[in-house]
Amino acid sequence: MSLRSPRRLPVATLSVALSAALLLGAGPALQAQVSQDSMPLDSGFGPLDPTPPSLPVAQIIKEFTTKETIFSEALNDYTWTRTVRVRVLDDNGQPTQGQQYYQVVDIYYNPQGQRKERVVDAPESTIQDVIMTESDFSDIEERLFFVLTDQAASQYDITYLGKQRIDQIQTWVFAVKPKVIVKGHRYFQGRIWVDQREHQIVVTDGKNVPDDLRPGHQDLTLPFITWRQLVDNQYWFPVYTHGRAVLNFSAGKGYLSQSVNMDEMVTYTNYHRFRTSIRVIYNGKDITNQPQKQPPAGSAPPAQPQPPQ
């Protein structure tokens, strides 16, 4: 998000601010930062047990990135509905009257097999404090359900952190961060939780990076958590993403710093398989028509937090 109209400094105040900046060297005070009020990482989860897993860490990573590759390919065989709601919150964390972006989109495929989006409902945005940027929309469309395929894994440092329980699921926890940030590309940075039985990612928590921190061009994005659930007894697809933070836009030449409390919710519903033309190969075997086994008793999908009203 970028500020719609930064609050300008009065002339006298501007003069003082510029003098102070010159004396201090205009250093880190002019850097933009993301909130001190972001969603807490793994809030409500069990304690983190840092003991090593029974399997080699490299083997676990290889197995879940392979399954992520299968998931990514399988997603090409599905249609679904994406509902997005972005709101500005007041100082008490309640929705500000009349400041909301809302959109409902059907994801479908045309006869040529190309993925398309059909807008079902999209009233005009009433958000006044910030402008949603190209980065916001591309994150919503492509990156809020982070998929760590075999190919993508080569771009990241993946570090084992320990074991953690999410409701009835025992998981391994990994920290993920990009090895190198290439200009013009965006990456995920945060944590992932991998089901110890199915070796599949069930929760993702972090943010997309980098933010644009240039004074006067600041573009800040929200940290978020994405939950997945089992679809067709086979694939752990994303069903719910929630992001919340106070975005702190720093002061610059001629304008004041501003903070905007933001909330974002995305739901993914109505998954339907529309074709079965893709062959899914896993460990050298064609498993296209072999659903993965049902999760054993006691390993139901983690309960999602209830969306705020």
Side-chain angles (χ1 to χ4, degrees):
M1 282 80 169
S2 292
L3 282 176
R4 182 174 294 277
S5 47
R7 291 198 296 267
R8 295 291 171 180
L9 284 164
V11 174
T13 307
L14 173 59
S15 177
V16 173
L18 288 176
S19 298
L22 289 172
L23 288 172
L24 296 174
L30 297 184
Q31 291 291 319
Q33 297 179 8
V34 175
S35 80
Q36 68 278 5
D37 187 29
S38 59
M39 296 176 60
L41 195 66
D42 66 31
S43 175
F45 293 4
L48 182 66
D49 174 6
T51 57
S54 57
L55 298 174
V57 170
Q59 177 183 337
I60 296 172
I61 293 174
K62 177 58 181 174
E63 290 190 5
F64 77 70
T65 58
T66 297
K67 290 196 174 183
E68 285 287 278
T69 302
I70 294 172
F71 154 71
S72 178
E73 294 173 351
L75 197 61
N76 291 326
D77 271 1
Y78 280 80
T79 61
W80 67 93
T81 299
R82 183 184 68 230
T83 302
V84 181
R85 182 170 64 179
V86 181
R87 300 178 296 183
V88 176
L89 307 180
D90 61 23
D91 292 339
N92 297 316
Q94 298 302 311
T96 300
Q97 185 67 30
Q99 291 214 56
Q100 174 174 278
Y101 169 85
Y102 181 79
Q103 184 191 60
V104 181
V105 169
D106 280 342
I107 313 298
Y108 72 101
Y109 292 82
N110 65 15
Q112 291 73 42
Q114 299 169 316
R115 181 182 292 179
K116 299 291 184 179
E117 296 190 1
R118 179 189 300 112
V119 176
V120 177
D121 188 13
E124 184 177 355
S125 173
T126 56
I127 294 178
Q128 302 170 10
D129 294 348
V130 298
I131 298 172
M132 293 183 65
T133 66
E134 182 180 344
S135 293
D136 296 316
F137 292 117
S138 62
D139 283 352
I140 289 170
E141 294 169 6
E142 303 170 16
R143 284 181 286 273
L144 288 184
F145 52 94
F146 174 61
V147 183
L148 191 57
T149 62
D150 286 325
Q151 182 177 4
S154 63
Q155 304 174 40
Y156 289 90
D157 288 325
I158 306 172
T159 305
Y160 175 78
L161 298 179
K163 307 168 187 175
Q164 197 165 30
R165 188 183 185 94
I166 307 177
D167 293 324
Q168 300 303 311
I169 293 184
Q170 296 290 351
T171 69
W172 293 300
V173 188
F174 292 85
V176 179
K177 66 177 182 179
K179 293 178 178 178
V180 178
I181 293 181
V182 178
K183 185 177 181 180
H185 294 262
R186 288 177 65 72
Y187 305 86
F188 172 80
Q189 183 167 321
R191 292 185 182 183
I192 58 174
W193 284 258
V194 177
D195 184 343
Q196 292 184 20
R197 291 182 182 270
E198 297 299 320
H199 297 190
Q200 295 191 65
I201 296 175
V202 293
V203 177
T204 304
D205 194 325
K207 76 182 303 293
N208 294 313
V209 297
D211 282 342
D212 188 343
L213 304 181
R214 296 174 298 160
H217 302 274
Q218 297 163 36
D219 188 358
L220 309 181
T221 54
L222 296 173
F224 62 89
I225 185 168
T226 295
W227 300 78
R228 298 188 188 183
Q229 283 188 353
L230 199 62
V231 172
D232 289 342
N233 297 325
Q234 194 167 9
Y235 305 112
W236 287 81
F237 283 176
V239 292
Y240 177 63
T241 295
H242 186 201
R244 177 177 289 187
V246 177
L247 299 180
N248 294 324
F249 297 90
S250 62
K253 184 177 180 179
Y255 54 89
L256 294 162
S257 62
Q258 290 180 240
S259 295
V260 184
N261 195 351
M262 302 293 300
D263 181 87
E264 178 178 59
M265 288 175 289
V266 184
T267 59
Y268 314 88
T269 58
N270 301 325
Y271 283 108
H272 292 291
R273 187 192 297 269
F274 86 103
R275 63 180 184 183
T276 56
S277 60
I278 290 178
R279 295 175 63 236
V280 178
I281 307 299
Y282 179 52
N283 283 345
K285 297 180 179 179
D286 188 338
I287 62 168
T288 304
N289 297 313
Q290 299 179 26
Q292 297 173 25
K293 63 179 180 296
Q294 283 270 19
S299 65
Q304 305 164 42
Q306 292 298 313
Q309 300 300 317

